[in-house]
Amino acid sequence: SHLKNFWDISDTTNFEVGATHLIGSKDADSGFEVNALGLDATLIHYVTPTNKLKVQGETYLQHRDETDPTLSNTPWGLYSLVDYRLSPRFGVGGRFDYVEPVGLDPVTLARHADAAWSSYLTLYQSEFTRWRLQYRHTDFAAGGDDNTVMFQGTVAIGVHKHTLQ
């Protein structure tokens, strides 16, 4: 299930908040031993008609009926994002991710959770095409780290207007 609400704070600022609930099984039986709650919020402020600032975050909390006493019954994770549209064609941003591992013995972990920091540059070629160059550094709970450079292209094709409009 998902609930959300949206408010126009002013002519240049809006705010959206939401909540999500998931229920399921962690194995092949039909019991529901996993519950997850997600909370999200997004604030968008138009600095000028072409420059906008987006601040976004989401947290997921789980409750798991674990039979192994070494495993966590309440793992959680979050991300936060700041994105600034410099012009109609360019944007920059940064993101932080944090997630506790599921199914790993916390005694054997080097860190309490996986944590990652990202920064990116986005080129909006058109309203249907976006190109992004991103760097991410990740510290893993099991030990070690990773540095990743990604190049992403997103292209929307097909009908973009709903037929009922």
Side-chain angles (χ1 to χ4, degrees):
S1 59
H2 182 72
L3 299 170
K4 69 178 172 179
N5 205 344
F6 179 88
W7 296 275
D8 281 326
I9 297 171
S10 70
D11 290 343
T12 59
T13 306
N14 56 60
F15 182 68
E16 182 178 308
V17 64
T20 303
H21 179 257
L22 305 165
I23 187 169
S25 179
K26 64 180 179 172
D27 48 30
D29 68 13
S30 61
F32 295 125
E33 60 269 344
V34 179
N35 283 283
L37 174 66
L39 305 171
D40 61 270
T42 303
L43 177 76
I44 297 177
H45 175 69
Y46 288 87
V47 180
T48 69
T50 58
N51 303 92
K52 75 175 180 181
L53 173 68
K54 176 169 72 169
V55 179
Q56 184 174 15
E58 189 166 2
T59 299
Y60 270 96
L61 311 152
Q62 271 191 17
H63 181 271
R64 304 171 64 85
D65 290 334
E66 291 289 355
T67 54
D68 185 346
T70 64
L71 300 179
S72 174
N73 284 329
T74 56
W76 66 282
L78 64 84
Y79 82 87
S80 58
L81 168 85
V82 175
D83 184 88
Y84 186 70
R85 191 80 170 253
L86 298 167
S87 69
R89 295 188 54 112
F90 287 99
V92 295
R95 177 177 165 139
F96 173 73
D97 295 90
Y98 176 94
V99 64
E100 291 182 341
V102 175
L104 298 177
D105 184 355
V107 175
T108 64
L109 296 178
R111 297 179 185 92
H112 190 64
D114 291 348
W117 298 265
S118 301
S119 59
Y120 57 85
L121 174 66
T122 305
L123 167 66
Y124 298 90
Q125 184 176 350
S126 71
E127 66 179 300
F128 306 114
T129 306
R130 176 184 79 186
W131 303 98
R132 177 171 287 165
L133 182 62
Q134 181 173 345
Y135 167 77
R136 180 179 65 208
H137 174 80
T138 306
D139 292 322
F140 295 107
D145 61 0
D146 184 51
N147 293 296
T148 308
V149 175
M150 296 170 275
F151 182 69
Q152 175 190 44
T154 305
V155 179
I157 59 174
V159 176
H160 301 293
K161 191 173 186 182
H162 195 281
T163 56
L164 295 178
Q165 292 179 348

